[in-house]
Amino acid sequence: MVKAVVGEEGRLSLVEERLAKSGTMVEIGLVIGKLSQVLDRGFVFDLVATPSNDAGQPPCSLVGNNDDRNKNKNKKSNNPSSSSSSSLVIDVDWVAEHARQVSRMMVGGIKVIGVYLWAPEAAFKNSTLLLSQTIKGVAGAAPLSNYGSDERLLLHICYSPRRWTCRSCSLASNITSSSLRPCDFKMGRVLNSLQAFKCIYKFDIRLPVFSEKNSDVNTLNDILRDGISIHAKELNSAIAMVDGDLVDVNEDVPCTSDDLHEVELLLPFVKDGSMEASSQNEVVGILVFCGTICTYSYLSAKEPVSQAVADIKEDITMGLRSRLDIISDEAERETAAASGDGSQSNSEMSNAKSLYTFFLKPASKEIILPFPRRVFIPWLAGLFVCDYLLPRETFEAVREHFKEMLSMEIPEDASVMEPEKEPSNPTSRSFWDVAASSYRASDGALNESNSRYGDVKAGANKLPTSVNVKGMLSVFVLLIAVIFGSLLFARNSS
């Protein structure tokens, strides 16, 4: 339960000044920050205004009497009964969609934790139920799965009289007008006390693709989503090392150093149940999802180091799901554009849909699909936020997205980091990789490519049988060489 909330004074003061000068009657947006279950506190880093929807309509507006802001200037023309009749109209779905997209741009430990409102006191009081429903929509679009919290914040900035109030909204029960509970709110210095953690995580997920008659899940999207969920469970049990020291998740040890902390995750040895099949005839291919993820996490003062590790694990999983959602959304847009054009045949339409509804069938070649890569942009007080670039996109797409979603202009000289960019030097491969790729080359298949960001590769089911024969032959030759060498060594010793 959140008992107190501290807002970053420097950022919130700028927001209040902007709103006061804008002359707007009402504005709604997202609260960015942290909710600490350990400290029973909320930390507000920034407020991000929700932009107009696709039709150009504002996400929030006033209905009824709109003269509350001027009532002190013209008291005679306003009466209390008419001024208290104003209420809000909120595009709940659009605010939730804004929260969904902004949550993708946050890194570990930084979340969309609520909604803020700039509106008259009367309109606020007359719209508490609608505001609670808006918060519930935002919570559904940007969940806080790693915090075990069912609360979100509602910040109200009233301009007549000018004051800030904060309320906590519980989502555990049915949303009513009494779901909002007051909590203490003050401004202070929050960002300068954050501790930064960085993790470079390499993953290699291999999933069998079953034949249509043996599986109801046969689209690329569904197979990957299930694979990510399975990997997330394994990741939660990973052992973490911070700056070379093992982290005990049962100890609440705070972090005292101000330097950037390096985190390494060690996955346990587990039996890969997803690779088991009753017979080879049930499997039509293997889906290989591999790459490298870079993630950051930020820890508030007095929070334990184990919380930063939990945030990093969650950010890895959410990052994989976000990339999958991005290419799915892109495929849907391309399919909708192609169907609206009407110039394509049914076969061409099927190809346009292949990225989203991609049925894996036996094939002689690998199919390689590069996932979006993550780029990091400086945000506030040394903190980073991120975005994802599709292979054919340029950095200008990131600039436009930041301006639309975060109302943020990226400077031309900004030090943008691309730690997941594909390396120029090829990586080394083992003997077995070379043997397998040599067979694929002789069979007319594509050679394996390596990527620093997620690659999805699908191969045919006829590969394992032939590779097994050649593999056994290689092992047999290797064993003969070892035995022969041992005999020579024993003979020379005697």
Side-chain angles (χ1 to χ4, degrees), residues 95-120:
V95 177
E97 174 62 21
H98 182 221
R100 184 179 73 92
Q101 296 199 36
V102 169
S103 65
R104 289 179 182 173
M105 307 171 75
M106 300 295 112
V107 298
I110 303 179
K111 304 290 182 180
V112 177
I113 60 173
V115 172
Y116 80 88
L117 178 71
W118 165 265

Side-chain angles (χ1 to χ4, degrees), residues 72-351:
N72 291 331
K73 297 181 180 180
N74 191 11
K75 294 183 179 180
K76 294 183 180 180
S77 61
N78 286 318
N79 58 73
S81 61
S82 63
S83 63
S84 62
S85 63
S86 60
S87 60
L88 299 172
V89 175
I90 301 175
D91 189 343
V92 177
D93 293 338
W94 182 248
V95 177
E97 174 62 21
H98 182 221
R100 184 179 73 92
Q101 296 199 36
V102 169
S103 65
R104 289 179 182 173
M105 307 171 75
M106 300 295 112
V107 298
I110 303 179
K111 304 290 182 180
V112 177
I113 60 173
V115 172
Y116 80 88
L117 178 71
W118 165 265
E121 183 70 24
F124 175 82
K125 291 181 178 180
N126 293 335
S127 309
T128 53
L129 179 58
L130 180 58
L131 288 168
S132 299
Q133 293 172 346
T134 304
I135 294 174
K136 184 178 181 180
V138 168
L144 306 181
S145 56
N146 198 34
Y147 285 80
S149 174
D150 59 357
E151 293 181 281
R152 297 296 188 276
L153 302 181
L154 173 61
L155 273 178
H156 176 216
I157 314 168
C158 181
Y159 48 72
S160 181
R162 182 75 59 82
R163 65 171 178 266
W164 292 68
T165 57
C166 183
R167 290 170 174 81
S168 174
C169 181
S170 176
L171 307 175
S173 58
N174 294 330
I175 295 296
T176 63
S177 57
S178 60
S179 300
L180 300 175
R181 300 188 305 271
C183 55
D184 294 334
F185 176 79
K186 65 178 182 179
M187 295 191 186
R189 298 175 65 87
V190 176
L191 297 177
N192 291 336
S193 62
L194 296 178
Q195 304 290 326
F197 296 78
K198 180 183 179 181
C199 178
I200 301 293
Y201 178 73
K202 295 182 179 180
F203 65 96
D204 191 341
I205 306 173
R206 296 172 183 268
L207 305 166
V209 183
F210 296 97
S211 60
E212 254 184 278
K213 63 180 181 180
N214 294 318
S215 176
D216 295 332
V217 182
N218 49 14
T219 66
L220 177 62
N221 187 295
D222 293 338
I223 295 172
L224 282 176
R225 197 170 298 281
D226 287 350
I228 292 172
S229 298
I230 294 172
H231 190 71
K233 296 178 181 178
E234 298 177 1
L235 187 62
N236 287 335
S237 59
I239 299 173
M241 297 182 65
V242 178
D243 298 331
D245 298 327
L246 286 175
V247 175
D248 189 348
V249 295
N250 297 319
E251 293 184 3
D252 295 336
V253 179
C255 185
T256 56
S257 173
D258 292 334
D259 299 329
L260 177 65
H261 304 281
E262 298 289 342
V263 179
E264 184 179 0
L265 298 178
L266 308 176
L267 286 175
F269 292 100
V270 295
K271 187 177 182 181
D272 192 356
S274 63
M275 294 299 294
E276 295 181 351
S278 58
S279 68
Q280 188 180 1
N281 293 331
E282 296 179 3
V283 179
V284 297
I286 299 295
L287 192 66
V288 181
F289 184 26
C290 59
T292 301
I293 291 180
C294 179
T295 177
Y296 283 85
S297 175
Y298 296 97
L299 199 67
S300 301
K302 299 182 180 180
E303 281 190 297
V305 177
S306 58
Q307 182 62 57
V309 174
D311 291 339
I312 283 178
K313 291 178 179 179
E314 183 196 27
D315 190 56
I316 292 172
T317 302
M318 296 303 295
L320 291 175
R321 289 173 176 163
S322 295
R323 297 167 205 247
L324 182 57
D325 291 340
I326 288 171
I327 63 171
S328 298
D329 294 344
E330 182 71 11
E332 284 185 325
R333 283 193 293 269
E334 291 181 357
T335 303
S339 61
D341 184 26
S343 59
Q344 293 183 324
S345 63
N346 292 333
S347 60
E348 290 174 330
M349 284 297 300
S350 178
N351 292 332

Side-chain angles (χ1 to χ4, degrees), residues 412-470:
E412 293 292 337
D413 57 347
S415 55
V416 179
M417 295 199 315
E418 299 183 66
E420 298 177 3
K421 190 174 183 179
E422 185 176 357
S424 57
N425 296 326
T427 58
S428 60
R429 295 184 295 172
S430 67
F431 167 79
W432 305 112
D433 290 334
V434 173
S437 63
S438 297
Y439 171 76
R440 286 194 296 267
S442 64
D443 194 53
L446 296 177
N447 290 330
E448 179 179 358
S449 67
N450 296 281
S451 176
R452 297 280 297 178
Y453 51 99
D455 271 1
V456 181
K457 306 172 187 175
N461 65 339
K462 71 176 184 179
L463 179 62
T465 303
S466 301
V467 172
N468 285 340
V469 174
K470 290 182 175 292

